[in-house]
């Protein structure tokens, strides 16, 4: 079998960069996969959330063999489903790696994958494809020149936000969460906050748990954190990206953009 061609690795001194692979929820649209991002800096590449459909556009920038790690905020399918197809690519196709791909995810990630992938009496060899590291509140990992710091956030299940730092720059990503102190602290002084804005409105009192940001809350979180820039993502189906940006901007004095698929944000 021929080996799939791989893009050249980024130079070791490249700036911290966020590339949007997809930002739709809870299922992909015709032109927008679910949540997934490529974070790169200092020569390292991290696939940050592997939502439905994001493995395809990831390959415009790097293949599975060129990744240094995968980081998963939580195990809802619109943030993790493409781990399943990545597994087959890593073990049974044209991808060649010297070692399993490091995967940082919530507790139970390996068993969840194995539960879906196992088709007989023997457990699927998930660990042959992924070197799984379970996240915890305050978890810190070094991926090449990137430092990834994770904090537990509020989403009704094990869920994490992350701060990626390289070359004196910082990017914070909310994952899915209601506004919480952990996210505000994690994003303090960051150059860019990538924050979900799924909810058109807060639930009425007694109408259920608040598990997401509204656009107004995304703006307020960015302002409280002192973020230099806000990018709203994971915008719910009853909002347009333009509405989400305008509503967030009313509560945040800095520049606001939407995470359009294919958009690239370079820090520094």
């Amino acid at each position: 079998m021929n080996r799939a061609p791989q893009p050249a690795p980024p130079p070791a001194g490249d700036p911290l960069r966020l590339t949007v692979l997809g930002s739709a929820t809870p299922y992909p649209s015709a032109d927008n996969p679910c949540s997934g991002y490529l974070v790169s800096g200092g020569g390292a590449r991290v696939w940050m959330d592997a939502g439905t459909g994001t493995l395809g556009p990831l390959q415009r920038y790097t293949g599975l063999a060129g990744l240094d790690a995968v980081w998963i905020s939580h195990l809802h399918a619109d943030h993790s489903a493409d781990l399943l197809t990545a597994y087959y690519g890593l073990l049974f196709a044209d991808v060649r790696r010297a070692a399993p791909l490091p995967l940082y995810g919530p507790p139970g990630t390996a068993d969840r994958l194995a539960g879906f992938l196992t088709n007989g009496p023997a457990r699927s060899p998930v660990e042959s494809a992924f070197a799984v590291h379970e996240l915890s509140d305050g978890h810190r990992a070094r991926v090449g020149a990137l430092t990834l710091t994770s904090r537990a956030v509020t989403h009704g299940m094990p869920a994490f936000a992350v701060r990626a730092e390289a070359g004196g720059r910082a990017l914070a990503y909310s994952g899915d969460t209601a506004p919480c102190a952990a996210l505000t602290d994690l994003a303090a002084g960051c150059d860019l906050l990538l924050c979900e804005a799924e909810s058109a409105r807060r639930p009425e009192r007694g109408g259920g748990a608040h598990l997401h940001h509204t656009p107004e809350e995304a703006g307020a979180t960015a302002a409280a954190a002192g973020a230099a820039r806000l990018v709203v993502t994971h915008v719910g189906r009853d909002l347009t990206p333009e509405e989400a940006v305008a509503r967030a901007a009313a509560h945040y004095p800095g520049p606001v953009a939407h995470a359009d698929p294919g958009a690239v944000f370079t820090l520094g």
Side-chain angles (χ1 to χ4, degrees), residues 154-176:
T154 304
H155 194 50
M157 64 184 297
F160 296 87
V162 67
R163 183 183 180 104
E165 297 175 280
R169 300 289 181 175
L171 158 72
Y173 169 47
S174 65
D176 279 7

Side-chain angles (χ1 to χ4, degrees), residues 112-169:
R112 284 283 293 275
L113 291 175
F116 189 94
L117 293 164
T118 298
N119 297 307
R123 182 181 184 276
S124 176
V126 170
E127 289 82 1
S128 295
F130 299 107
V132 181
H133 306 271
E134 293 192 342
L135 297 174
S136 58
D137 190 34
H139 182 279
R140 181 166 291 189
R142 186 80 173 177
V143 180
L146 286 170
T147 299
L148 304 178
T149 304
S150 301
R151 291 293 309 274
V153 291
T154 304
H155 194 50
M157 64 184 297
F160 296 87
V162 67
R163 183 183 180 104
E165 297 175 280
R169 300 289 181 175

Side-chain angles (χ1 to χ4, degrees), residues 8 16 22 31 34 40 59 69 87 91 110 115 120 122 129 136 144 171 177 229 231 251 259 268:
L16 186 61
D31 56 0
C34 288
S40 59
Q59 293 169 82
Y87 165 86
L91 291 190
S136 58
L171 158 72
T177 178
R229 185 172 190 178
V231 177
H251 294 262

